Amino acid sequence: MTGVGATGLFDPDRVAVVGATDRAGSVGRAVLENLDSFDGEVVAVNPGRKAVLGYRCHDSLADVPGVDLAVVVVPPSVAVDVVREAGESGIENVVVITAGFGEAGSEGAARERDLAAVADEYGLTLVGPNSLGIMSTPASMNATFGPADALPGSISFMSQSGAFITAALDWASDQGIGFRHVVSLGNEAVLDETDFVEAWGDDETSVVLGYLEGISDGRAFIDTARDVTDETPVVLVKSGRTEAGAQAASSHTGTIAGSDAAYEAGLDQAGVVRAETVQQLFDYARALDGLPLPDADSVAVVTNAGGPGVMTTDAVGDSSLTMASFTDETLDALAESLPENANRYNPVDVIGDAGVERFRTALDTVLGDPNVGAAVVVAAPTAVLDYADLAEVVGEAQDAHDLPVAAVLMGGSRAEEPSARLRESGVPNYFDPARAVDSLDALARQRRVGEREYEPPREFDVDEAAARDILESAADRGETRLGVEAMGLLDAYGIPTPAGGIAETPEDAVSLAHEVEGDVVMKIVSPDILHKSDIGGVKVGVPNEDVYDAYEDLVSRARNYQPDAAILGVQVQELVDTDRGTETILGVNRDPQFGPLVLFGLGGIFVEVMEDTTVRVAPVSEREADGMLSDIQAAPLLRGARGREPANLDALRESIERLSQLATDFPAILELDINPLVATADGVQAVDVRLTIDPDEL
Ligand code: ADP
Ligand code: MG
């Protein structure tokens, strides 16, 4: 398949509607009617008719040369044949509106596989099936059976729900939001969200907008979107959850790194600006489409109303933005131009008797301040303030300073006209200050995305063969759950582990303990005992003379707890100074869409209580690993808050990257927990490991 952009899916000269009909209420008729305003030529195909709605009707696609796009609205039973005919006739682009495929039982699923195979055979750029259709405003083309046209604009919009498109377009038209391309993705038998992100990243689209229920290939999406989001913002709302969360998870990482965490991480790594609600989706789209990006995260607020000014300040506090602190020059200038009782500090209160000129001066002054990256103008209606004039002033200020300005001209119908006027200068107007700030926040997020440099993950020199040996011999023994007996896996990938080994007799344990300096830690080793300390299976700080007895005690505890437990022995381990360090957790989980995930967080006994963890899709780059270290709430602990010794962040970061490499190299590792990974000033030590493997993936 060639890329969407190259084939002219959105820019055809001649469109054929296969299944054209004039039957009232039919999809075929709706599509034909919607294509009325199309710039190019429309041809109707239907073997059962001579003419439809004034179009001469052709028997088959083979009879009409030069078709660039075929829109298929025939019954499901003949749809695949029609698409084959399109391929035979050399048509590159097909939109299959016909339903009754993957969404309709096993017969439909088989039909969809046939459709994909035909598309593949002829290299078709195919949208659908079960799609509402596509629109392209530059070509005045509405090839959908929806009820209304989109306004022209430069936002391109894809949706996995056709119903959502019709509703959203209707609403967007009222809001004056226009579109360039619109795609109802349908069942995505061929083209999916990644293809359109790629295509729209390459054309004149200003903002890519998406309503998605799932992403079929998460890794491909990240790799493609990462390149696009550099320049073109991608805003997505993702609804629904996948099955992943329901999968029984035996590790902490498994339960914590559920499916939504995968999406959150994956979309963030891809540089997507994620919207939680439909309102945000369009708020962000409008802001990103109409406004320049801020050059700093600091916001100036100019208002004639104290209360709303404070609300705006609160909203800034809740966002990733900050309230700008003005330079002395700005403060002096404000003091000169504003009345005595005005507040010249941010939020600037020009007070209730302010006319439009006072707003103009204040806004010009703050936007000229080098400490200001964006501004919000908050106004309540007064007798001396004309909203129409204010709209003019805000628009001019925005143009003059090339910084984003959002408006909150509060009110009902009196704000409508001015709102439309603001819109023309790209300035969004909201009733609620929180929405204005949230939209500026989306701009700031996009700026950060654009600024970040992607570097591919580092590749460490590891002993892959040794790791494979460990996994394969476990699989040979029929084991799918491994514990500390698999420490060698971490050694092979250069994640530091304490000195020690596994003893199979008390005598072994004593001699192992003599090889290790100082007191030791002893742990029961059994695939049947997952949480060793829960059954008293961990002894910390055992002096050499007690090792023999400790061995016997640990084994008898395990026997008491579970008489038929398979006991592999007792691990004798160097004592790590946990008092000096922080117990962290480092883990791996697998997501059906995104593949391996790496989890990092506060570990030890706090894991379940605090749930202070963060996730990335592997393989993670050095910068992404670094982001994980600062993402968790306990980050200040790692940096040495309150007189603690700071942890060795380089060693932590490298362990994350190395584990990411292990997870990427071995799809057989379904879940893995290193808990705890003790982080001290000197480095890190993995003192415990637990994993689940799928032998079929080896
Ligand atoms: P489990 O998680 O199965 O209970 P661990 O091996 O994680 O077993 O041990 C439980 C706790 O014991 C750890 O969280 C840590 O506080 C402590 N611990 C384990 N091994 C060591 C060690 N080598 N040095 C110091 N403390 C340890
Ligand atoms: Mg543990």
Side-chain angles (χ1 to χ4, degrees):
M1 190 200 70
T2 37
V4 177
T7 59
L9 175 69
F10 294 107
D11 189 24
D13 290 324
R14 182 176 276 196
V15 176
V17 179
V18 191
T21 168
D22 48 16
R23 189 162 46 81
S26 70
V27 171
R29 178 175 178 137
V31 173
L32 211 53
E33 283 177 344
N34 278 338
L35 278 169
D36 236 14
S37 48
F38 176 47
D39 277 349
E41 190 192 344
V42 178
V43 291
V45 176
N46 187 340
R49 316 224 166 190
K50 288 274 166 273
V52 173
L53 300 176
Y55 293 99
R56 180 185 150 215
C57 225
H58 301 266
D59 281 350
S60 108
L61 278 174
D63 300 341
V64 260
V67 170
D68 306 298
L69 166 65
V71 183
V72 179
V73 281
V74 299
S77 56
V78 295
V80 176
D81 291 336
V82 166
V83 171
R84 177 178 292 283
E85 217 167 77
E88 289 286 341
S89 319
I91 298 170
E92 279 185 278
N93 303 292
V94 180
V95 175
V96 182
I97 289 181
T98 308
F101 286 81
E103 82 285 3
S106 60
E107 197 189 327
R111 187 176 288 138
E112 189 158 319
R113 279 192 297 276
D114 291 347
L115 180 72
V118 170
D120 189 46
E121 189 182 335
Y122 294 96
L124 300 178
T125 300
L126 184 141
V127 176
N130 191 22
S131 161
L132 179 85
I134 67 171
M135 294 183 187
S136 169
T137 57
S140 297
M141 178 177 75
N142 177 355
T144 75
F145 65 93
D149 281 347
L151 293 178
S154 53
I155 298 168
S156 289
F157 176 38
M158 60 180 164
S159 171
Q160 286 173 345
S161 154
F164 181 73
I165 291 189
T166 54
L169 290 188
D170 192 44
W171 178 86
S173 291
D174 282 352
Q175 306 290 310
I177 299 176
F179 296 89
R180 177 177 167 79
H181 298 155
V182 177
V183 173
S184 157
L185 293 163
N187 295 0
E188 308 188 334
V190 178
L191 295 178
D192 66 15
E193 52 285 341
T194 302
D195 297 297
F196 288 99
V197 166
E198 187 177 16
W200 292 336
D202 251 5
D203 69 9
E204 280 100 274
T205 293
S206 61
V207 184
V208 175
L209 214 60
Y211 174 87
L212 301 182
E213 279 148 14
I215 289 177
S216 37
D217 182 346
R219 188 71 240 174
F221 182 85
I222 294 178
D223 290 339
T224 300
R226 193 166 39 217
D227 283 343
V228 169
T229 51
D230 243 16
E231 296 273 332
T232 309
V234 176
V235 187
L236 296 181
V237 71
K238 153 85 178 62
S239 73
R241 314 266 151 147
T242 64
E243 293 298 296
Q247 144 202 323
S250 62
S251 69
H252 292 304
T253 310
T255 23
I256 299 165
S259 168
D260 200 57
Y263 274 101
E264 203 174 308
L267 295 182
D268 181 62
Q269 286 169 271
V272 166
V273 175
R274 191 170 173 181
E276 297 301 328
T277 63
V278 173
Q279 175 94 81
Q280 283 177 333
L281 184 69
F282 287 96
D283 277 356
Y284 296 173
R286 196 213 291 276
L288 286 160
D289 183 35
L291 296 174
L293 296 182
D295 54 14
D297 289 344
S298 45
V299 180
V301 177
V302 177
T303 184
N304 67 349
V310 174
M311 282 169 69
T312 314
T313 307
D314 284 347
V316 170
D318 289 341
S319 74
S320 76
L321 305 169
T322 56
M323 288 295 280
S325 49
F326 299 141
T327 62
D328 290 342
E329 288 77 34
T330 301
L331 292 172
D332 290 347
L334 288 174
E336 222 159 274
S337 60
L338 295 180
E340 199 122 304
N341 52 348
N343 178 34
R344 59 198 174 115
Y345 295 93
N346 201 9
V348 178
D349 190 346
V350 296
I351 54 178
D353 64 352
V356 72
E357 284 312 315
R358 217 185 279 165
F359 267 98
R360 187 201 299 278
T361 322
L363 195 53
D364 262 339
T365 311
V366 298
L367 284 173
D369 187 311
N371 292 346
V372 171
V376 187
V377 178
V378 186
T382 69
V384 289
L385 182 66
D386 187 296
Y387 266 5
D389 293 345
L390 183 58
E392 205 77 33
V393 160
V394 173
E396 280 165 19
Q398 136 87 37
D399 281 348
H401 293 274
D402 201 31
L403 289 177
V405 180
V408 183
L409 308 194
M410 299 173 112
S413 54
R414 85 168 64 226
E416 266 170 30
E417 264 297 310
S419 247
R421 194 181 292 220
L422 280 167
R423 205 144 65 209
E424 276 159 35
S425 27
V427 176
N429 184 42
Y430 305 97
F431 183 84
D432 184 350
R435 269 175 70 197
V437 171
D438 191 31
S439 297
L440 293 180
D441 188 55
L443 297 181
R445 275 147 70 187
Q446 178 58 33
R447 176 176 55 85
R448 275 174 235 134
V449 168
E451 277 173 0
R452 69 194 196 189
E453 297 262 332
Y454 178 72
E455 279 166 37
R458 295 196 275 178
E459 284 246 11
F460 296 91
D461 194 12
V462 296
D463 191 347
E464 195 179 335
R468 180 169 302 280
D469 249 13
I470 292 170
L471 295 173
E472 275 174 358
S473 44
D476 288 346
R477 292 191 302 271
E479 289 165 12
T480 54
R481 289 185 169 194
L482 310 179
V484 284
E485 69 276 15
M487 276 300 204
L489 213 54
L490 305 182
D491 296 326
Y493 271 67
I495 297 170
T497 57
I502 294 174
E504 290 176 22
T505 63
E507 291 80 9
D508 270 2
V510 171
S511 67
L512 270 172
H514 276 103
E515 290 168 23
V516 171
E517 212 181 302
D519 295 350
V520 293
V521 178
M522 295 173 68
K523 306 175 188 183
I524 194 73
V525 183
S526 162
D528 299 317
I529 299 170
L530 282 179
H531 299 279
K532 299 175 287 297
S533 23
D534 286 357
I535 64 140
V538 178
K539 288 176 186 281
V540 178
V542 185
N544 280 356
E545 59 273 23
D546 295 346
V547 167
Y548 193 103
D549 291 345
Y551 184 102
E552 300 207 303
D553 184 41
L554 284 169
V555 171
S556 78
R557 282 185 194 201
R559 288 258 146 74
N560 275 340
Y561 164 74
Q562 199 180 323
D564 60 348
I567 293 169
L568 304 181
V570 167
Q571 186 187 40
V572 178
Q573 207 178 48
E574 179 190 344
L575 179 68
V576 174
D577 187 359
T578 51
D579 289 344
R580 274 184 59 216
T582 307
E583 294 198 15
T584 66
I585 180 173
L586 184 54
V588 171
N589 185 35
R590 241 158 244 287
D591 180 84
Q593 272 76 42
F594 287 92
L597 307 177
V598 174
L599 171 141
F600 172 74
L602 199 60
I605 53 169
F606 296 118
V607 167
E608 276 139 311
V609 187
M610 313 293 279
E611 291 203 7
D612 183 12
T613 54
T614 182
V615 169
R616 295 290 183 284
V617 177
V620 300
S621 67
E622 191 177 0
R623 190 190 57 77
E624 287 167 340
D626 209 41
M628 294 181 84
L629 297 182
S630 47
D631 251 14
I632 61 170
Q633 278 155 29
L637 279 186
L638 298 177
R639 286 192 224 107
R642 306 230 153 214
R644 289 166 61 97
E645 230 182 334
N648 184 327
L649 296 180
D650 288 335
L652 265 177
R653 186 185 311 115
E654 189 169 320
S655 297
I656 292 174
E657 294 174 77
R658 286 176 178 274
L659 186 68
S660 150
Q661 188 172 337
L662 176 68
T664 313
D665 287 350
F666 291 99
I669 300 175
L670 299 180
E671 293 175 25
L672 184 152
D673 271 354
I674 301 172
N675 184 27
L677 175 76
V678 181
T680 63
D682 303 332
V684 296
Q685 296 270 21
V687 304
D688 186 24
V689 71
R690 175 160 64 228
L691 64 150
T692 314
I693 59 169
D694 176 0
D696 293 339
E697 292 283 344
L698 271 169

